[in-house]
Amino acid sequence: MVQNKQVIFTKVPTTFPEDGEHMQVRESTIDLDAHLTSGEIILKNLALSVDPYMRGRMRDPSVKSYSPAFPLNQPMTGSTMSVVVKSNHPKFKEGDLVYGNTGMGIFEEYTRVGGVYLEKAYTVRNEPKENGLPITNYLGVLGMPGMTAYVGLFKIGAPKKGETLYVSAASGAVGQLVGQMGKAFGLHVVGSAGSDEKVEYLKSIGFDGVFNYKTEDIDDKLGELCPNGIDIYFENVGGKMLECVIKRANNFARIVACGMISQYNREHPEPIHNLMQVVAKRLRIEGFIVGDHLDMEQEFREKVTKMLLNKEIQYKESVAHGIENTPKALIDVLRGKNFGKQVVKIADL
Amino acid sequence: MVQNKQVIFTKVPTTFPEDGEHMQVRESTIDLDAHLTSGEIILKNLALSVDPYMRGRMRDPSVKSYSPAFPLNQPMTGSTMSVVVKSNHPKFKEGDLVYGNTGMGIFEEYTRVGGVYLEKAYTVRNEPKENGLPITNYLGVLGMPGMTAYVGLFKIGAPKKGETLYVSAASGAVGQLVGQMGKAFGLHVVGSAGSDEKVEYLKSIGFDGVFNYKTEDIDDKLGELCPNGIDIYFENVGGKMLECVIKRANNFARIVACGMISQYNREHPEPIHNLMQVVAKRLRIEGFIVGDHLDMEQEFREKVTKMLLNKEIQYKESVAHGIENTPKALIDVLRGKNFGKQVVKIADL
């Protein structure tokens, strides 16, 4: 029997969740030498991903949404990368790297899993053994956040070369990729972030204009950095930022609504006052969730792997070490304290 | 020389325009026996259309929008139906009926016009002589409002049979047509209007459910009348109504933003608080202006003429008599006092 720490969802938060109150890391045990019934495997979890959308799952289960609420007093789930340490399943061999699909990988050190859940939640993904990319990349640039950037920009945003793209939360896991993909496609790319350090980083990876939304006037900076107006807004924020963008939007602009992180932890969301301009400017505001576009997954992974190997995309990660730091890492993401894609490293391969 | 009354735009309103202050009917004269230079014609104007979008043109010209601001101290313009009384233009013959395109027909009793403006603003439309439909229909069900309903529902709304369509301002020029077209297509159609008389009328023309938004609780009624949620919202109102719809919207619902009449005359538009649901529900909110979709004009007019002649569409008009009643007729539309498409009859054929 070995120790098996788990990240447990313990209480529904009303604003920001707190470590210890709404999430707790608890010890349990697992028998790694147990006899596995047919179709079962044991995974050693190597890394997990904490993402803003998870806040939406930390809710009362009576409130319906696109993804199920986390059950209370159970381990939280999300994207994971793991290695098979024992197997009684023909598709999963010892030593295989395994991806726990967005929302389905279990946040614990070891996972014993079989049957329908195994087949649905986990996919063998041995590519990092071949191409040398870090395993954590498969939780970010080559996982859900990367595909969110790809689908949102190219499918929902429908860009035309020469247009202006504005990305809020641009240093986040999705934002930095949207900007770089937009730049590679031929857009004028502007971003905002919450610290001068992030602003400098975004300039260094090729954004044409970047500003600190905490210290600068948003409307003024959008006017200055988007002299031809905004054609595509990759919306990660909501609230006042969205109002400023609607004001600066060109006719037929697309607002790709991927998340509204500034609103997740408010009991009373900020209102939008200028939605009337949607008619006069023929704006399209469209929400999307990457899971509805899985038909684009292979195209996405092939193209973006190539871009990474060719160094056309730079990708910054923020790595927390140890599963016990998972609650704090998620809280940091929700409070905008992380810089780049936040992952938690649990163990070495 | 004969008298030629004109409807003059005299002052930019901040809230509701008033007759006499922001619009004035003034007398001028015109020489109907004048010698016309090549390419000129004289029109006797028979009817004109007053529509909510005109409020948007009554603005300070420094504020840009999709349609030009009305110049001060000039006749207002909009859709008109006229007859050619004198012509020196090969395409326009005496006795021809002529449509003054949306936003371009001049609000006066007689119009002397030639050159580029004539060719751009006016189209011969002799169909009512053949099919017996009232000339005023060509300002409504077969004009801009009818095409707005058609384009908005079928192109932007992308309906699927069996879905639920909700139409606000349903007794208005556009709303009553959207509902009937939706019903004919196979949708569950729900509408709201501002008086019990309008509610009864909408039921009589086939709406599945209708409520009076002034006397009933909007959220409760939407829940009751749209038991399967809302798939398409034909948005004519904005403000609180839009919030209620977002709450009741199904995943992947389309909000066709055609106008936000409740907001046009407010200095401070009502805010929307629940736009965050755009992401979770993957909503699409899309503004459109019928003038961007003129490629659909012929298809629209053929189909809807047939529906009218077959009595598949019933169409209610509110007719004011005399050009001097134009300001009041427009104000009635903006205040929701009219019932059906508001037109002004100027003269008999």
Side-chain angles (χ1 to χ4, degrees):
Chain A
M1 302 291 280
V2 300
Q3 156 194 281
N4 187 20
K5 286 187 195 147
Q6 300 178 308
V7 184
I8 306 289
F9 177 53
T10 47
K11 188 179 169 188
V12 174
T14 48
T15 64
F16 283 98
E18 288 188 36
D19 187 5
E21 185 176 358
H22 307 99
M23 296 175 273
Q24 284 175 19
V25 178
R26 290 191 191 154
E27 305 250 341
S28 69
T29 55
I30 184 168
D31 181 1
L32 297 181
D33 300 318
H35 171 74
L36 298 180
T37 59
S38 174
E40 276 193 317
I41 64 171
I42 295 176
L43 295 168
K44 178 186 178 189
N45 298 320
L46 304 174
L48 62 83
S49 176
V50 287
D51 296 284
Y53 81 89
M54 294 173 65
R55 178 61 181 83
R57 301 191 62 185
M58 301 175 80
R59 67 177 192 275
D60 189 297
S62 69
V63 180
K64 278 194 199 168
S65 189
Y66 62 96
S67 57
F70 286 130
L72 278 174
N73 298 313
Q74 296 288 321
M76 294 171 69
T77 58
S79 303
T80 53
M81 282 295 285
S82 313
V83 59
V84 179
V85 292
K86 196 169 180 189
S87 175
N88 190 4
H89 190 297
K91 281 198 208 154
F92 296 85
K93 302 193 179 15
E94 271 179 44
D96 274 351
L97 291 175
V98 165
Y99 175 63
N101 296 330
T102 302
M104 299 192 81
I106 299 169
F107 283 11
E108 57 190 355
E109 290 181 287
Y110 292 94
T111 300
R112 180 173 169 175
V113 59
V116 175
Y117 194 87
L118 170 59
E119 308 244 352
K120 209 170 158 189
Y122 291 95
T123 316
V124 174
R125 178 137 299 145
N126 281 319
E127 300 98 302
K129 291 187 191 173
E130 311 288 325
N131 62 29
L133 290 170
I135 285 173
T136 47
N137 276 13
Y138 284 78
L139 298 175
V141 58
L142 293 169
M144 187 272 289
M147 184 150 156
T148 300
Y150 189 87
V151 169
L153 179 61
F154 293 112
K155 185 163 182 183
I156 314 293
K160 298 183 209 61
K161 281 185 212 306
E163 287 190 325
T164 294
L165 165 70
Y166 171 57
V167 187
S168 57
S171 67
V174 175
Q176 57 174 296
L177 297 173
V178 173
Q180 293 182 87
M181 290 176 188
K183 199 65 207 157
F185 180 80
L187 303 177
H188 178 76
V189 176
V190 174
S192 59
S195 79
D196 291 343
E197 186 196 2
K198 291 176 179 177
V199 167
E200 288 312 310
Y201 172 71
L202 291 169
K203 285 181 183 166
S204 79
I205 62 171
F207 278 63
D208 296 297
V210 195
F211 65 96
N212 181 337
Y213 72 91
K214 289 185 178 163
T215 58
E216 305 267 15
D217 182 272
I218 295 172
D219 181 53
D220 286 352
K221 293 305 284 187
L222 287 178
E224 177 194 325
L225 298 175
C226 307
N228 299 320
I230 296 169
D231 299 296
I232 305 173
Y233 172 42
F234 206 95
E235 160 67 303
N236 288 303
V237 169
K240 186 176 155 44
M241 182 72 84
L242 177 55
E243 278 196 348
C244 291
V245 171
I246 288 175
K247 181 181 163 191
R248 297 279 179 187
N250 290 330
N251 286 346
F252 304 103
R254 286 79 68 197
I255 295 177
V256 181
C258 172
M260 298 200 180
I261 197 170
S262 76
Q263 308 302 307
Y264 292 160
N265 298 294
R266 286 173 185 267
E267 281 190 271
H268 304 288
E270 280 182 291
I272 303 294
H273 294 83
N274 58 355
L275 210 58
M276 227 178 91
Q277 296 190 34
V278 163
V279 183
K281 292 184 173 176
R282 298 83 129 186
L283 305 182
R284 170 161 59 86
I285 302 177
E286 186 161 355
F288 82 103
I289 287 170
V290 68
D292 297 327
H293 304 275
L294 295 182
D295 55 306
M296 294 177 75
E297 192 166 7
Q298 197 176 344
E299 166 194 330
F300 146 71
R301 200 171 287 113
E302 282 171 9
K303 286 206 182 164
V304 176
T305 299
K306 203 175 285 175
M307 291 177 95
L308 278 169
L309 294 172
N310 294 345
K311 313 247 182 259
E312 287 174 273
I313 286 183
Q314 294 179 57
Y315 179 63
K316 192 173 182 70
E317 288 181 344
S318 179
V319 182
H321 292 271
I323 193 169
E324 60 280 3
N325 288 313
T326 303
K328 182 176 177 308
L330 175 56
I331 293 162
D332 281 354
V333 165
L334 294 174
R335 291 193 179 271
K337 287 190 186 165
N338 65 311
F339 186 170
K341 171 66 188 114
Q342 181 71 56
V343 293
V344 177
K345 195 163 172 199
I346 304 172
D348 286 317
L349 182 56
Chain B
M1 302 290 278
V2 300
Q3 155 194 282
N4 187 20
K5 286 186 194 147
Q6 299 179 309
V7 184
I8 307 290
F9 177 53
T10 47
K11 188 179 171 188
V12 174
T14 48
T15 63
F16 283 97
E18 289 189 35
D19 187 7
E21 184 176 359
H22 307 99
M23 297 175 272
Q24 283 174 20
V25 178
R26 288 189 193 156
E27 306 249 342
S28 69
T29 55
I30 185 167
D31 182 0
L32 297 182
D33 301 319
H35 172 75
L36 298 180
T37 59
S38 173
E40 275 193 316
I41 64 172
I42 296 177
L43 295 168
K44 178 185 176 191
N45 299 319
L46 304 174
L48 62 81
S49 176
V50 288
D51 297 283
Y53 81 90
M54 294 173 65
R55 177 62 182 83
R57 300 191 62 186
M58 302 177 78
R59 67 177 191 275
D60 188 297
S62 69
V63 180
K64 278 194 199 167
S65 189
Y66 63 97
S67 58
F70 286 130
L72 279 173
N73 298 313
Q74 297 289 320
M76 293 170 70
T77 58
S79 303
T80 53
M81 281 296 285
S82 313
V83 60
V84 179
V85 291
K86 197 171 180 186
S87 175
N88 192 3
H89 190 296
K91 282 197 210 155
F92 296 85
K93 305 198 178 4
E94 272 180 41
D96 274 351
L97 291 175
V98 165
Y99 176 64
N101 297 330
T102 303
M104 299 191 83
I106 299 170
F107 283 10
E108 56 190 355
E109 290 180 288
Y110 293 93
T111 299
R112 180 173 169 175
V113 59
V116 175
Y117 194 86
L118 170 59
E119 308 242 354
K120 210 170 156 186
Y122 291 95
T123 316
V124 174
R125 177 137 302 144
N126 281 320
E127 300 97 302
K129 292 187 189 173
E130 310 288 325
N131 61 29
L133 290 170
I135 285 172
T136 47
N137 276 13
Y138 283 78
L139 299 175
V141 60
L142 293 169
M144 186 272 289
M147 185 150 154
T148 301
Y150 189 87
V151 169
L153 179 61
F154 293 112
K155 187 162 180 185
I156 314 294
K160 297 183 209 64
K161 278 183 214 308
E163 286 189 325
T164 295
L165 165 69
Y166 170 59
V167 188
S168 56
S171 67
V174 176
Q176 56 175 298
L177 296 173
V178 172
Q180 292 181 89
M181 289 175 188
K183 199 65 208 157
F185 180 80
L187 303 177
H188 178 76
V189 177
V190 174
S192 59
S195 78
D196 291 343
E197 187 196 359
K198 291 176 179 176
V199 167
E200 288 312 311
Y201 172 71
L202 292 169
K203 285 181 184 166
S204 79
I205 62 171
F207 278 64
D208 296 296
V210 195
F211 66 95
N212 181 338
Y213 72 90
K214 289 184 178 164
T215 57
E216 305 268 15
D217 182 90
I218 295 172
D219 181 53
D220 285 351
K221 292 306 284 187
L222 287 178
E224 177 194 324
L225 298 174
C226 307
N228 300 319
I230 297 170
D231 299 297
I232 305 172
Y233 172 42
F234 207 95
E235 161 65 303
N236 289 302
V237 170
K240 184 176 156 42
M241 181 73 83
L242 178 55
E243 278 196 346
C244 291
V245 171
I246 288 175
K247 181 181 162 193
R248 296 279 179 188
N250 289 332
N251 286 346
F252 303 104
R254 288 78 70 197
I255 295 176
V256 182
C258 172
M260 297 199 181
I261 198 170
S262 75
Q263 308 303 306
Y264 291 159
N265 298 294
R266 286 173 185 267
E267 283 190 270
H268 304 288
E270 281 181 291
I272 303 293
H273 294 82
N274 57 355
L275 209 58
M276 226 178 94
Q277 296 189 34
V278 163
V279 183
K281 292 184 174 176
R282 298 85 129 183
L283 304 182
R284 170 160 60 85
I285 302 177
E286 187 160 355
F288 82 103
I289 287 170
V290 67
D292 297 326
H293 303 275
L294 295 181
D295 55 308
M296 293 178 76
E297 193 167 7
Q298 197 176 344
E299 166 193 332
F300 146 70
R301 201 171 287 111
E302 281 171 12
K303 286 206 182 166
V304 176
T305 300
K306 202 174 289 179
M307 291 177 96
L308 279 169
L309 294 172
N310 294 345
K311 313 247 184 260
E312 288 173 275
I313 286 184
Q314 294 180 58
Y315 179 63
K316 192 174 182 69
E317 288 181 342
S318 178
V319 182
H321 292 272
I323 192 168
E324 59 280 3
N325 289 312
T326 303
K328 182 177 176 307
L330 176 56
I331 293 162
D332 282 353
V333 166
L334 294 174
R335 291 193 179 270
K337 287 190 186 165
N338 66 311
F339 187 170
K341 170 67 188 115
Q342 181 70 56
V343 295
V344 177
K345 195 163 172 199
I346 304 172
D348 286 318
L349 183 56

